[in-house]
Amino acid sequence: MQNKVTIIYCTQCRWLLRSSWIAQELLTTFQDEIIALTLQPSTGGVFEIYVNEDLLWSRREKGGFPEIKLLKKLVRDEIAPGKSLGHIDKK
């Protein structure tokens, strides 16, 4: 499948740096599984991550930002369930 990730972030809150760092982490980890990653500016405190148009993370719903380890696991479970994340998978 050709997976697409969209990160919608609030420009008023200055979350571009956080969003671009998350984008870099996801593109590095899932370089063979993601064909496009979009950073979409918004306002009103929004921070959401979509995978193939399905909402994976919402700051409002979850009460904050995801830890990168958790986010990588969530993305992996959506787009590449059999993929090993190396040390992240170890307890």
Side-chain angles (χ1 to χ4, degrees):
M1 178 170 207
Q2 298 187 2
N3 299 292
K4 297 178 183 179
V5 176
T6 303
I7 300 172
I8 303 173
Y9 66 96
C10 180
T11 56
Q12 296 168 315
C13 300
R14 305 283 187 223
W15 289 335
L16 174 60
L17 198 59
R18 178 187 304 262
S19 300
S20 59
W21 174 73
I22 289 173
Q24 176 184 332
E25 287 289 321
L26 293 178
L27 287 170
T28 300
T29 301
F30 300 103
Q31 64 188 2
D32 296 327
E33 292 85 12
I34 295 175
I35 64 155
L37 193 146
T38 304
L39 295 177
Q40 182 177 323
S42 188
T43 57
V46 69
F47 185 86
E48 297 175 337
I49 300 172
Y50 289 83
V51 174
N52 299 324
E53 301 184 22
D54 294 325
L55 181 62
L56 191 68
W57 189 272
S58 169
R59 185 187 70 83
R60 283 198 180 105
E61 290 178 13
K62 304 284 187 175
F65 296 96
E67 292 290 328
I68 198 64
K69 287 181 180 182
L70 173 60
L71 182 59
K72 286 182 180 183
K73 287 180 180 181
L74 292 172
V75 171
R76 185 260 320 266
D77 292 349
E78 283 291 315
I79 68 173
K83 182 178 181 78
S84 171
L85 296 176
H87 68 279
I88 290 176
D89 284 331
K90 295 184 171 108
K91 298 204 185 228

